[in-house]
Amino acid sequence: NFGDEEDIRTEVRSLISSLPSDTNIQGKKLCNYQGCWYYYKNLQAVLDYQKHFKPLDSDIIVTSYPKSGTTWLKALTVALLHRSEDGLQSHPLTSDSPHGLVPFLEMDLYHKSSTPDLTKLSSSPRLFSTHMPLHTLREPLKDSPCKIVYVCRNVKDVLVSLWHFRSKIGKKEAERSGLESIIESFCKGVDNYGPIWDHVLSYWKGSLEDPKHVLFMRYEDLKEEPYAQVMRLAEFLDCPFTEQEIRTGSVEKISDLCSLSSLSNLDINKTGISWNNVDHSIFFRKGEVDDWKNHLTTEMANKIDMIMDEKFQGSGLKM
Ligand code: A3P
């Protein structure tokens, strides 16, 4: 429903008419704002966020390109901040999905209202998430010391994940033609939140310029060395593990609680419905590194790699 043109206010319509516009492979209209493509309704929410959001110093914002490990990073952040909870019985992750606990600014809060009541949020510190690129996210943050954590993932795995996700939402089998279209749309860059290269680069550069406030994480590192990455996240969020916690296995407990098998087996994630009316279970699939090798031809992979090499050249970013 993010592509719906109903409910778009007059002043937003007028802005949209002055912006570059195009349609994605699904035939949905998009426009380009600050270098990023958005569905119209999504852009309206981004504009409302930029106009009305008032940061608190303690805010934490979890960010990503869709299908890069957002759900996982949200769960890890919640688990880190609630590690004093004894066992799973009263743990927030058992009563709501990671997406309910860490709501999206533009796809959830500002999608529902141009001025959402953020005092109703139960978490402290406040936890938010977004798929906006960094420069757009930062506009209302100004000099706020709030923390921004980005998770990036191998682009070829992202597009395979998106292919399965869209097929599940459409309640159809994942067909090859769908994969080919997604590759085409990634290469062209015209899709909600695209181009992915610019998205990743905005956070990569931001993390180099301001490492105290922007942390750049990788899905692949989280898989390979969860212990080190959970420690790193905790340090960044100013809640490092104590010696005692380390001795009693608190780091391992958090990484186990947030593993795909553990999260996807919680009742709330098996049966619940998300903010956008999709089953929570859709956010959990295989969770593997290099799944693209099972689906992409060499030609497809080369096409993506060539663009990536060109776009990331000189940035120091290797993917
Ligand atoms: P796959 O489709 O490759 O399995 P997002 O959360 O950004 O929507 O990304 C979804 C992807 O992250 C899916 O990838 C999903 O399976 C994977 N994922 C979700 N929870 C995870 C977890 N706890 N650990 C590892 N991967 C997870």
Side-chain angles (χ1 to χ4, degrees):
N1 60 343
F2 296 111
D4 288 352
E5 284 177 66
E6 296 144 32
D7 308 329
I8 304 289
R9 298 191 307 272
T10 315
E11 83 275 11
V12 178
R13 271 180 207 282
S14 137
L15 172 73
I16 288 173
S17 67
S18 71
L19 295 172
S21 59
D22 210 330
T23 48
N24 70 358
I25 45 158
Q26 298 167 306
K28 286 191 185 171
K29 289 187 189 165
L30 297 124
C31 60
N32 192 299
Y33 176 68
Q34 299 184 336
C36 181
W37 290 96
Y38 296 96
Y39 293 142
Y40 292 180
K41 191 78 197 281
N42 227 6
L43 175 61
Q44 175 165 276
V46 166
L47 296 169
D48 285 332
Y49 156 77
Q50 288 190 323
K51 191 164 172 197
H52 300 294
F53 184 75
K54 301 270 177 290
L56 297 180
D57 289 358
S58 55
D59 286 345
I60 295 173
I61 308 178
V62 170
T63 80
S64 61
Y65 191 86
K67 302 297 123 202
S68 301
T70 327
T71 317
W72 193 8
L73 184 58
K74 286 183 181 191
L76 284 168
T77 307
V78 170
L80 271 175
L81 297 170
H82 288 269
R83 59 186 191 246
S84 59
E85 313 279 336
D86 210 12
L88 262 186
Q89 256 160 8
S90 61
H91 200 287
L93 283 168
T94 58
S95 53
D96 203 349
S97 84
H99 294 291
L101 295 165
V102 189
F104 280 105
L105 286 160
E106 77 283 17
M107 292 202 297
D108 186 348
L109 299 169
Y110 287 88
H111 182 82
K112 290 180 185 147
S113 160
S114 57
T115 51
D117 183 0
L118 302 182
T119 59
K120 287 199 182 136
L121 293 175
S122 54
S123 66
S124 173
R126 302 189 305 181
L127 301 177
F128 300 105
S129 66
T130 185
H131 290 318
M132 284 174 239
L134 183 61
H135 48 275
T136 302
L137 172 66
R138 272 206 152 156
E139 250 186 52
L141 304 182
K142 308 242 163 36
D143 298 322
S144 165
C146 70
K147 303 273 188 181
I148 298 170
V149 188
Y150 184 72
V151 60
C152 105
R153 187 181 188 189
N154 179 319
V155 174
K156 289 170 287 198
D157 281 338
V158 171
L159 65 86
V160 166
S161 182
L162 185 64
W163 170 45
H164 283 105
F165 185 77
R166 285 195 175 154
S167 308
K168 270 195 209 156
I169 285 196
K171 299 194 181 355
K172 343 174 258 217
E173 283 294 302
E175 289 166 359
R176 292 295 295 174
S177 60
L179 178 61
E180 283 157 15
S181 311
I182 287 185
I183 293 176
E184 199 186 310
S185 103
F186 267 55
C187 293
K188 208 173 152 201
V190 184
D191 208 352
N192 203 20
Y193 299 110
I196 188 167
W197 346 97
D198 297 346
H199 199 277
V200 177
L201 275 177
S202 77
Y203 285 96
W204 171 247
K205 289 181 182 159
S207 71
L208 296 179
E209 284 160 16
D210 187 7
K212 210 167 168 273
H213 301 111
V214 185
L215 180 70
F216 190 91
M217 302 195 79
R218 291 169 187 268
Y219 185 96
E220 294 74 20
D221 294 344
L222 276 165
K223 289 290 283 191
E224 201 181 309
E225 39 164 37
Y227 187 99
Q229 294 301 319
V230 169
M231 294 279 280
R232 185 172 167 240
L233 181 59
E235 297 267 344
F236 175 77
L237 296 178
D238 292 332
C239 56
F241 289 89
T242 61
E243 289 292 323
Q244 154 104 6
E245 284 177 312
I246 291 174
R247 264 200 315 277
T248 53
S250 181
V251 187
E252 290 88 343
K253 274 187 212 151
I254 285 176
S255 105
D256 289 349
L257 168 63
C258 297
S259 70
L260 189 139
S261 64
S262 153
L263 285 181
S264 59
N265 276 310
L266 293 174
D267 278 347
I268 183 71
N269 295 325
K270 282 204 278 197
T271 55
I273 306 278
S274 258
W275 87 97
N276 54 351
N277 236 358
V278 303
D279 296 344
H280 288 154
S281 61
I282 277 189
F283 291 92
F284 306 96
R285 194 181 63 95
K286 263 176 144 178
E288 279 174 12
V289 170
D290 285 345
D291 188 33
W292 65 267
K293 290 183 180 164
N294 298 317
H295 303 287
L296 266 60
T297 61
T298 313
E299 196 189 334
M300 287 168 162
N302 286 345
K303 202 170 161 187
I304 299 288
D305 288 342
M306 267 171 58
I307 301 179
M308 215 154 37
D309 287 348
E310 189 202 316
K311 299 279 180 186
F312 295 161
Q313 203 180 27
S315 69
L317 176 61
K318 300 257 178 302
M319 284 185 65

